[in-house]
Amino acid sequence: MLKLILDILSVPAILVGLIALIGLILQKKSASDTLKGTIKTVLGFLVLSGGAGIAEKSLGYFGTIFQEAFNVQGVVPHNEAVVALALETYGTSTALIMAFGMLANILIARYTKLKYIFLTGHHTLYMAAMISVILVVGGLEGVTLIIVGSIILGFVMAFFPAIAQPTMRKITGTDDVAFGHFGTVGYVLSAWVGKVLGKNSKSTEEMEFSQKLGFMRDSSVAISLVMGVLYIIVAIASGHKFINTLSGGQNYILFAVLQAITFAGGVYIILQGVRLILAEIVPAFRGISEKLVPDAKPALDCPVVFPYASNAVLIGFLSSFLGGIVGMLILIGLKTTIILPGVVPHFFCGATAGVFGNATGGKRGAFWGSFAHGLLITFLPVLLMPVLGNLGFANTTFSDADFGVVGIILGNIVKLFIK
């Protein structure tokens, strides 16, 4: 039963589909409307997930080729990898903290001013796993572990959407949708940097192209071309023999070009999935907010902001990745743990940082805000690893900013008051 609950709650499509179903039922919609709204919500998440899977696979090739091309070794932050390791030892406590943490989130939204319901199920699982690890390493166990962990999880699920909401209003132009992704500190930092450095800078979506470059207005074409250049550079630097081991003998330049266009295709699918979700989940969620949690807002995954500034998505990814490379070079100079720039977190989180930076500071905000984000998610893992016990010695760690912030603060509190 515990495993079934964990499986349901950790699958975003099922979780959000259930939320839509409950909302439509509470609004007393007809059976046909309820069925249609629920299925389209689940479908939207599956489309989004499919696009993310395509993009991640392509980025996986890029990361592998990058490490080979420039001969760097170190820790690669990757949420899924570190959580898989954590669940082997802390699976039961993680499941319980996740389940009761979601209940705590609803209660906090019901009885406080933090009116946000966090709906990104997989990130809820990741945060529950990290909290479980840190509390167990700190000496907590049994009922105390579950209660403390659930309250902490429920609070951060409501708190982080709250600090992102002022910028979300600027991005979306409404107050209907909130932001639910545990990289929020990095996005808020990007928005702040954008506000400071981006005065009078035009939006990335107002970028002017000559008639000869008019095709760059199509975001899919622009992403394909820019990523194509990057893929070809790292492919040439790594050598055709190495690429042959990945491509099954396909010409290494052709392989690079196809992977770049595949990545652009993944981003296109993600955007279509987001549009489908927003069309269904926001109206359905009103039923829950009206009946159970007045004025509550659904906090959704980071791609929810991508359609609002598609140029900022690409700028944010590239700038965040550049920040990751600069951060890596600094760590090499300091002769400490080297954090390699993980392409997947720099894309999803860096792209989001670009949208947030653009909302407050236009093109300059998107670039410098994302660059600051790239530095942040490079240095935070170094400080996080010591508080994760034996898990800190793995060759991977949590990648997104909020995991670092929550983990470092919680780990030091545990050391101070429990150990």
Side-chain angles (χ1 to χ4, degrees), residues 373-407:
H373 168 272
L375 290 173
L376 181 69
I377 66 170
T378 301
F379 292 115
L380 279 177
V382 177
L383 302 174
L384 174 64
M385 290 168 71
V387 305
L388 294 177
N390 292 332
L391 202 63
F393 296 104
N395 62 353
T396 187
T397 187
F398 291 93
S399 59
D400 305 349
D402 295 351
F403 294 106
V405 171
V406 172

Short mmCIF file of all heavy atoms in Angstrom, two decimals, residues 373-407:
data_model
loop_
_atom_site.label_atom_id
_atom_site.label_comp_id
_atom_site.label_asym_id
_atom_site.label_seq_id
_atom_site.Cartn_x
_atom_site.Cartn_y
_atom_site.Cartn_z
N HIS A 373 22.53 32.40 -11.86
CA HIS A 373 21.92 31.12 -11.51
C HIS A 373 22.89 29.97 -11.74
O HIS A 373 23.01 29.06 -10.92
CB HIS A 373 20.65 30.90 -12.34
CG HIS A 373 20.10 29.52 -12.26
ND1 HIS A 373 20.51 28.51 -13.12
CD2 HIS A 373 19.20 28.95 -11.42
CE1 HIS A 373 19.88 27.40 -12.81
NE2 HIS A 373 19.08 27.63 -11.79
N GLY A 374 23.61 30.00 -12.88
CA GLY A 374 24.58 28.95 -13.18
C GLY A 374 25.68 28.85 -12.14
O GLY A 374 26.09 27.76 -11.75
N LEU A 375 26.15 30.00 -11.67
CA LEU A 375 27.16 30.01 -10.60
C LEU A 375 26.57 29.44 -9.31
O LEU A 375 27.22 28.66 -8.60
CB LEU A 375 27.65 31.43 -10.36
CG LEU A 375 28.52 32.06 -11.45
CD1 LEU A 375 28.79 33.53 -11.14
CD2 LEU A 375 29.84 31.31 -11.59
N LEU A 376 25.33 29.83 -9.01
CA LEU A 376 24.69 29.40 -7.77
C LEU A 376 24.56 27.88 -7.69
O LEU A 376 24.92 27.27 -6.67
CB LEU A 376 23.31 30.05 -7.64
CG LEU A 376 22.52 29.71 -6.36
CD1 LEU A 376 23.19 30.35 -5.15
CD2 LEU A 376 21.07 30.18 -6.48
N ILE A 377 24.07 27.26 -8.77
CA ILE A 377 23.86 25.80 -8.71
C ILE A 377 25.17 25.02 -8.91
O ILE A 377 25.15 23.80 -8.88
CB ILE A 377 22.79 25.32 -9.71
CG1 ILE A 377 23.23 25.51 -11.17
CG2 ILE A 377 21.46 26.02 -9.44
CD1 ILE A 377 22.29 24.82 -12.17
N THR A 378 26.27 25.75 -9.09
CA THR A 378 27.58 25.11 -9.10
C THR A 378 28.18 25.09 -7.70
O THR A 378 28.76 24.08 -7.28
CB THR A 378 28.54 25.86 -10.06
OG1 THR A 378 27.99 25.85 -11.37
CG2 THR A 378 29.91 25.19 -10.09
N PHE A 379 28.02 26.17 -6.95
CA PHE A 379 28.64 26.25 -5.62
C PHE A 379 27.78 25.64 -4.51
O PHE A 379 28.31 25.11 -3.54
CB PHE A 379 28.97 27.71 -5.28
CG PHE A 379 30.06 28.27 -6.14
CD1 PHE A 379 29.80 29.31 -7.03
CD2 PHE A 379 31.34 27.77 -6.08
CE1 PHE A 379 30.80 29.83 -7.83
CE2 PHE A 379 32.36 28.27 -6.88
CZ PHE A 379 32.09 29.31 -7.75
N LEU A 380 26.45 25.72 -4.64
CA LEU A 380 25.59 25.15 -3.60
C LEU A 380 25.82 23.66 -3.37
O LEU A 380 25.88 23.22 -2.21
CB LEU A 380 24.10 25.40 -3.93
CG LEU A 380 23.55 26.79 -3.59
CD1 LEU A 380 22.10 26.90 -4.04
CD2 LEU A 380 23.65 27.08 -2.10
N PRO A 381 25.95 22.82 -4.41
CA PRO A 381 26.20 21.39 -4.18
C PRO A 381 27.47 21.10 -3.37
O PRO A 381 27.52 20.12 -2.62
CB PRO A 381 26.31 20.82 -5.61
CG PRO A 381 25.50 21.74 -6.44
CD PRO A 381 25.73 23.09 -5.85
N VAL A 382 28.49 21.94 -3.52
CA VAL A 382 29.73 21.75 -2.76
C VAL A 382 29.45 21.88 -1.27
O VAL A 382 29.97 21.11 -0.44
CB VAL A 382 30.80 22.78 -3.19
CG1 VAL A 382 32.06 22.63 -2.34
CG2 VAL A 382 31.13 22.60 -4.66
N LEU A 383 28.61 22.85 -0.90
CA LEU A 383 28.27 23.08 0.50
C LEU A 383 27.24 22.07 1.02
O LEU A 383 27.17 21.81 2.22
CB LEU A 383 27.73 24.50 0.68
CG LEU A 383 28.67 25.63 0.24
CD1 LEU A 383 27.96 26.98 0.34
CD2 LEU A 383 29.93 25.63 1.09
N LEU A 384 26.44 21.50 0.10
CA LEU A 384 25.40 20.54 0.49
C LEU A 384 25.97 19.17 0.81
O LEU A 384 25.51 18.49 1.74
CB LEU A 384 24.36 20.43 -0.62
CG LEU A 384 23.28 19.36 -0.45
CD1 LEU A 384 22.40 19.66 0.77
CD2 LEU A 384 22.42 19.26 -1.71
N MET A 385 26.96 18.74 0.05
CA MET A 385 27.44 17.37 0.14
C MET A 385 27.84 16.93 1.56
O MET A 385 27.54 15.80 1.95
CB MET A 385 28.58 17.15 -0.85
CG MET A 385 28.10 17.14 -2.30
SD MET A 385 29.44 17.24 -3.51
CE MET A 385 30.14 15.61 -3.31
N PRO A 386 28.51 17.77 2.37
CA PRO A 386 28.91 17.33 3.71
C PRO A 386 27.75 16.98 4.65
O PRO A 386 27.93 16.20 5.59
CB PRO A 386 29.70 18.53 4.25
CG PRO A 386 30.18 19.24 3.05
CD PRO A 386 29.08 19.08 2.04
N VAL A 387 26.54 17.54 4.41
CA VAL A 387 25.43 17.28 5.33
C VAL A 387 24.62 16.05 4.91
O VAL A 387 23.66 15.69 5.60
CB VAL A 387 24.48 18.50 5.45
CG1 VAL A 387 25.25 19.74 5.85
CG2 VAL A 387 23.71 18.74 4.15
N LEU A 388 25.00 15.40 3.81
CA LEU A 388 24.25 14.24 3.32
C LEU A 388 24.81 12.91 3.81
O LEU A 388 24.39 11.85 3.35
CB LEU A 388 24.23 14.24 1.79
CG LEU A 388 23.47 15.39 1.12
CD1 LEU A 388 23.60 15.32 -0.39
CD2 LEU A 388 22.00 15.41 1.52
N GLY A 389 25.74 12.93 4.75
CA GLY A 389 26.31 11.69 5.29
C GLY A 389 27.01 10.90 4.20
O GLY A 389 27.69 11.46 3.33
N ASN A 390 26.83 9.59 4.21
CA ASN A 390 27.48 8.73 3.21
C ASN A 390 27.03 9.06 1.78
O ASN A 390 27.77 8.85 0.82
CB ASN A 390 27.19 7.25 3.50
CG ASN A 390 27.87 6.77 4.77
OD1 ASN A 390 28.91 7.31 5.15
ND2 ASN A 390 27.29 5.78 5.42
N LEU A 391 25.79 9.59 1.66
CA LEU A 391 25.29 9.93 0.34
C LEU A 391 26.10 11.08 -0.27
O LEU A 391 26.13 11.25 -1.49
CB LEU A 391 23.80 10.33 0.44
CG LEU A 391 22.97 10.22 -0.85
CD1 LEU A 391 22.90 8.79 -1.32
CD2 LEU A 391 21.57 10.76 -0.61
N GLY A 392 26.74 11.89 0.57
CA GLY A 392 27.57 12.98 0.09
C GLY A 392 28.83 12.53 -0.61
O GLY A 392 29.49 13.32 -1.30
N PHE A 393 29.19 11.26 -0.44
CA PHE A 393 30.40 10.74 -1.08
C PHE A 393 30.10 10.11 -2.44
O PHE A 393 30.99 9.60 -3.10
CB PHE A 393 31.08 9.71 -0.18
CG PHE A 393 31.57 10.28 1.11
CD1 PHE A 393 30.89 10.06 2.30
CD2 PHE A 393 32.72 11.07 1.14
CE1 PHE A 393 31.34 10.61 3.49
CE2 PHE A 393 33.17 11.62 2.34
CZ PHE A 393 32.48 11.40 3.52
N ALA A 394 28.82 10.11 -2.86
CA ALA A 394 28.46 9.56 -4.16
C ALA A 394 28.99 10.49 -5.25
O ALA A 394 29.32 11.64 -5.01
CB ALA A 394 26.94 9.42 -4.26
N ASN A 395 29.03 9.99 -6.48
CA ASN A 395 29.55 10.82 -7.56
C ASN A 395 28.47 11.68 -8.20
O ASN A 395 28.60 12.17 -9.31
CB ASN A 395 30.22 9.95 -8.64
CG ASN A 395 29.24 8.98 -9.28
OD1 ASN A 395 28.09 8.86 -8.84
ND2 ASN A 395 29.69 8.27 -10.30
N THR A 396 27.36 11.87 -7.48
CA THR A 396 26.30 12.76 -7.91
C THR A 396 25.66 13.38 -6.67
O THR A 396 25.91 12.94 -5.55
CB THR A 396 25.24 11.99 -8.72
OG1 THR A 396 24.28 12.92 -9.25
CG2 THR A 396 24.50 10.97 -7.86
N THR A 397 24.86 14.43 -6.86
CA THR A 397 24.19 15.08 -5.74
C THR A 397 22.98 15.82 -6.28
O THR A 397 22.68 15.78 -7.48
CB THR A 397 25.15 16.04 -5.02
OG1 THR A 397 24.51 16.54 -3.84
CG2 THR A 397 25.55 17.22 -5.91
N PHE A 398 22.24 16.51 -5.39
CA PHE A 398 21.07 17.27 -5.82
C PHE A 398 21.53 18.49 -6.63
O PHE A 398 22.52 19.13 -6.30
CB PHE A 398 20.25 17.71 -4.61
CG PHE A 398 19.58 16.58 -3.90
CD1 PHE A 398 20.20 15.95 -2.82
CD2 PHE A 398 18.34 16.12 -4.31
CE1 PHE A 398 19.59 14.89 -2.17
CE2 PHE A 398 17.72 15.05 -3.66
CZ PHE A 398 18.35 14.44 -2.59
N SER A 399 20.77 18.80 -7.68
CA SER A 399 21.23 19.82 -8.62
C SER A 399 20.59 21.18 -8.45
O SER A 399 21.25 22.20 -8.64
CB SER A 399 20.98 19.32 -10.05
OG SER A 399 19.60 19.07 -10.27
N ASP A 400 19.31 21.26 -8.10
CA ASP A 400 18.58 22.52 -8.16
C ASP A 400 18.76 23.33 -6.88
O ASP A 400 19.01 22.79 -5.80
CB ASP A 400 17.11 22.26 -8.43
CG ASP A 400 16.89 21.44 -9.69
OD1 ASP A 400 17.86 21.26 -10.45
OD2 ASP A 400 15.78 20.94 -9.90
N ALA A 401 18.60 24.64 -6.99
CA ALA A 401 19.01 25.56 -5.93
C ALA A 401 18.31 25.32 -4.58
O ALA A 401 18.96 25.37 -3.54
CB ALA A 401 18.75 27.00 -6.39
N ASP A 402 17.01 25.07 -4.59
CA ASP A 402 16.29 24.94 -3.32
C ASP A 402 16.76 23.75 -2.51
O ASP A 402 16.75 23.78 -1.27
CB ASP A 402 14.78 24.83 -3.57
CG ASP A 402 14.20 26.08 -4.19
OD1 ASP A 402 14.94 27.09 -4.27
OD2 ASP A 402 13.04 26.06 -4.62
N PHE A 403 17.17 22.67 -3.18
CA PHE A 403 17.70 21.52 -2.45
C PHE A 403 18.97 21.93 -1.70
O PHE A 403 19.17 21.54 -0.55
CB PHE A 403 18.02 20.38 -3.42
CG PHE A 403 16.81 19.79 -4.08
CD1 PHE A 403 16.53 20.06 -5.41
CD2 PHE A 403 15.94 18.97 -3.38
CE1 PHE A 403 15.42 19.53 -6.03
CE2 PHE A 403 14.82 18.43 -3.99
CZ PHE A 403 14.55 18.72 -5.32
N GLY A 404 19.81 22.71 -2.36
CA GLY A 404 21.02 23.17 -1.70
C GLY A 404 20.72 24.07 -0.51
O GLY A 404 21.27 23.89 0.58
N VAL A 405 19.83 25.04 -0.70
CA VAL A 405 19.50 25.99 0.36
C VAL A 405 18.84 25.28 1.55
O VAL A 405 19.27 25.44 2.70
CB VAL A 405 18.58 27.11 -0.18
CG1 VAL A 405 18.07 27.98 0.96
CG2 VAL A 405 19.33 27.96 -1.20
N VAL A 406 17.80 24.49 1.27
CA VAL A 406 17.10 23.78 2.36
C VAL A 406 18.04 22.79 3.03
O VAL A 406 18.08 22.69 4.27
CB VAL A 406 15.86 23.05 1.81
CG1 VAL A 406 15.24 22.15 2.89
CG2 VAL A 406 14.82 24.04 1.31
N GLY A 407 18.81 22.04 2.24
CA GLY A 407 19.71 21.04 2.80
C GLY A 407 20.77 21.63 3.69
O GLY A 407 21.05 21.11 4.78
#
